Amino acid sequence: MEKSNQFEGVYLPYIIKWGKITGWLGVLLSFGPALVLAVVYKLVPPVSAIITGFIAIASAVGVVWIVEPISYFPIIGVPGTYMAFITGNISNLRIPAAAVSQNVAGVEPGTKEGTIIATLGMATSVIVNIVILALGVFAGAAILGSLPENIVASFNFLLPALFGAIFVQFALKKLKLAPIALGIALGLTFALKVGVFSFLPGHPSYIVTLGAVFGTMAIGTTLYKKKLL
């Protein structure tokens, strides 16, 4: 009970306070260059161009703005959500780091322990990411330039391999649900390829994530209520 009170009464309020501060600071820094151009150099694009640009981006990835926070929150919790969306590289780095950390520590996603472990794993990934990125900026181009072409081409398989490993990790915990999740994802991907979702705005690849996440959640909840899971 004392640990629960510490988590909800001390830890979360502290995280939310600083999460809001750093979040708004991130927004300010993101728009900083544009504000400098507008205020200092009086370079302001036409309103029509701004609206056109916003519509172009929103039509392509607007759904992700809603899907990603909902999809990832059960894994990383409140602290991880603040951290993930201020540091970026969520799906290809932060979530895998959180998932692996929870698996190694033997804690369940969605629990208080899981939230804390996920935050520690993600924080470590941020530090490592910064160090590697700094090295990559100075030495990456030279190293990549010296590698054979087939080695460089193989880097395209890193992200699919990473997601495959994460899927297996979670599939082992819910063997009955894993084929359902995989089936939904494959079915939606095939439908996307043949143009079933061509009526949706932008490039509707987001429908695969949306359908796989919420479809699996709905089926999993139904099976759990019927005590089949």
Side-chain angles (χ1 to χ4, degrees), residues 51-220:
I51 295 175
T52 301
F54 176 80
I55 292 175
I57 295 296
S59 63
V61 298
V63 174
V64 176
W65 302 340
I66 300 173
V67 173
E68 284 196 347
I70 296 175
S71 303
Y72 300 146
F73 182 81
I75 301 174
I76 58 181
V78 173
T81 299
Y82 279 120
M83 184 181 296
F85 285 91
I86 197 66
T87 60
N89 291 321
I90 303 174
S91 61
N92 63 336
L93 187 56
R94 307 299 170 226
I95 296 301
V100 170
S101 300
Q102 291 170 337
N103 186 57
V104 171
V107 295
E108 289 292 328
T111 62
K112 295 178 178 64
E113 294 81 3
T115 297
I116 294 173
I117 293 298
T119 305
L120 292 174
M122 291 173 62
T124 303
S125 76
V126 172
I127 296 172
V128 173
N129 189 198
I130 292 174
V131 173
I132 293 177
L133 185 61
L135 294 174
V137 168
F138 294 105
I143 294 174
L144 288 176
S146 63
L147 292 175
E149 186 177 343
N150 60 335
I151 298 296
V152 176
S154 68
F155 291 161
N156 295 326
F157 298 100
L158 286 177
L159 191 57
L162 182 62
F163 279 119
I166 294 174
F167 174 76
V168 171
Q169 177 182 318
F170 283 101
L172 292 174
K173 296 181 180 180
K174 299 290 183 182
L175 287 175
K176 293 182 179 179
L177 193 58
I180 297 174
L182 182 60
I184 294 175
L186 291 176
L188 290 173
T189 301
F190 177 77
L192 180 68
K193 292 291 185 181
V194 299
V196 174
F197 303 112
S198 58
F199 63 92
L200 294 174
H203 188 278
S205 57
Y206 52 80
I207 199 67
V208 177
T209 302
L210 190 66
V213 170
F214 290 100
T216 305
M217 288 172 60
I219 295 174

